[in-house]
Amino acid sequence: MKYYLIAGEASGDLHGSNLMKSILAKDPDAEFRFWGGDLMEKVGGKPVKHYRDLAFMGFLEVALNLKTILRNIKFCKEDITKNRPDVLILIDYPGFNLRIAKFARELGIKVVYYISPQLWAWKEGRVETIRKYVDEMLVILPFEQDFYKKHRVDAHFVGHPLLDAISGLKDISPENFKKEHQLSDKEIIALLPGSRKQEVEKMLEIMLSVRSHFPEYQFVIAGAPSLEKEFYQKFTDKNVHFVSNKTYDLLRCSKAALVTSGTATLETALLKIPEVVCYRGSKISYAIAKRLVKHIKYISLVNLIMDREVVKELIQEELTTENLVSELQKIISGEKREVMLDDFAALREKLGGSGASEKAADIIVSGL
């Protein structure tokens, strides 16, 4: 069978690659064509575009790059028409993927949506598009199935694919990791500033501003696989280090982390590393988002899933050096650290067991 996948971000590349592996286990003759990244390319198939050329963050940034986005949509439609897959698998990335869903469905191509857009937070009206043009909706958060049921969409809860990625990790020696990456013997505070250039540039400066308050620790930046090493050089010095494409290993060797809001907040929690969640967008984008998002108290997946504050979120004006120092001190040692680790264990239970990629592949392959 011919499978066409579209992932527009680093997390989608990870989940897409694991799904592709599971599909191959059930359909050894599977042919893949995809928009994604390096992880999907390692599985095999024909890459069409890399997600680094697709990821635009915020309302203002999308507006400024609208011509590029529309050009990519046009090219995607032409590529699907030319290659006529048996199934189109869309991975999150709703602004792009929902347009492609409508187009593919009208061509008679089966459409599967794996990893729901956060419609429960905003743009709830998009559910109508999913009801009309998506054949199978595969969700990964426990409350999403009820959300779709309320809107008369029969969604399948398959569990969270991050549990698959994390359960397969081999043990790691912090001493060997430090030696391999020329790090000192000091304990590590990991910095996860995001995967897009504009995001990293916004976040790293404020994250690094806490260094002088923690001289007994070394700060290590988690480099995104989509960004070149040279990009990070302006942020590094003898007291700030950089490790590329080794985020899970870095986190597992760290005492705590400062994490930009996104999938990384959940990854950090599942790896049992106490964290402070950070977010600062353009004033225009944030003002628009605040008006559009309804009934949502949190921005991090950890707090959203638990429906209470487990990790501290420092957003916009609250993201200051003073607040970062205060919150980081609380999770390096003491009661708050222990409570957070207990909450992370409860979070893992709430997400169910591993096997999301396999369950999703089962539904996709058996339905063809």
Side-chain angles (χ1 to χ4, degrees), residues 44-266:
K46 175 64 178 175
V48 181
K49 272 189 182 282
H50 200 286
Y51 67 77
R52 72 168 71 93
D53 302 321
L54 308 174
F56 300 107
M57 173 191 160
F59 299 97
L60 180 61
E61 293 79 5
V62 167
L64 292 173
N65 291 280
L66 191 56
K67 284 186 179 179
T68 300
I69 294 168
L70 293 175
R71 192 161 52 243
N72 283 335
I73 289 171
K74 182 175 182 288
F75 174 73
C76 184
K77 289 178 178 179
E78 291 170 351
D79 195 57
I80 289 173
T81 302
K82 181 181 176 182
N83 290 280
R84 299 293 300 203
D86 295 295
V87 59
L88 171 67
I89 303 171
L90 306 171
I91 303 172
D92 200 359
Y93 198 48
F96 189 97
N97 276 339
L98 286 175
R99 294 190 186 204
I100 301 303
K102 181 177 185 295
F103 173 80
R105 194 71 182 80
E106 289 173 348
L107 280 183
I109 296 169
K110 182 167 185 175
V111 178
V112 175
Y113 215 121
Y114 177 51
I115 304 179
S116 171
Q118 295 179 353
L119 305 185
W120 32 266
W122 68 307
K123 293 195 175 181
E124 196 167 319
R126 284 176 164 177
V127 174
E128 185 66 23
T129 303
I130 287 173
R131 189 189 302 114
K132 284 182 180 178
Y133 304 114
V134 173
D135 296 288
E136 297 286 358
M137 192 73 203
L138 312 181
V139 300
I140 63 172
L141 298 175
F143 58 80
E144 289 178 326
Q145 194 170 32
D146 289 337
F147 169 81
Y148 279 106
K149 186 177 181 180
K150 182 180 76 173
H151 290 280
R152 294 177 289 114
V153 174
D154 186 19
H156 305 270
F157 173 58
V158 296
H160 206 292
L162 279 180
L163 292 171
D164 295 346
I166 287 167
S167 65
L169 294 174
K170 296 177 182 176
D171 290 339
I172 187 169
S173 160
E175 292 76 18
N176 291 344
F177 179 82
K178 290 174 183 176
K179 190 178 295 182
E180 179 187 350
H181 296 284
Q182 291 86 52
L183 304 177
S184 73
D185 291 333
K186 290 181 178 179
E187 288 194 286
I188 295 170
I189 293 175
L191 306 179
L192 279 66
S195 60
R196 308 174 182 96
K197 278 189 177 180
Q198 65 200 47
E199 189 176 39
V200 174
E201 286 172 339
K202 273 194 178 83
M203 302 306 302
L204 261 182
E205 186 177 356
I206 186 66
M207 286 180 171
L208 289 170
S209 70
V210 306
R211 283 177 297 164
S212 61
H213 298 269
F214 300 92
E216 68 274 35
Y217 292 90
Q218 58 185 323
F219 289 77
V220 184
I221 300 166
S226 58
L227 299 178
E228 60 278 5
K229 185 177 180 181
E230 291 71 28
F231 169 74
Y232 291 94
Q233 286 179 345
K234 60 186 173 185
F235 301 105
T236 59
D237 57 35
K238 63 180 180 180
N239 298 315
V240 179
H241 304 275
F242 162 83
V243 173
S244 181
N245 205 17
K246 293 279 185 180
T247 302
Y248 283 5
D249 289 350
L250 170 61
L251 282 170
R252 291 191 293 158
C253 296
S254 298
K255 183 75 172 180
L258 304 181
V259 186
T260 297
S261 178
T263 304
T265 63
L266 184 56

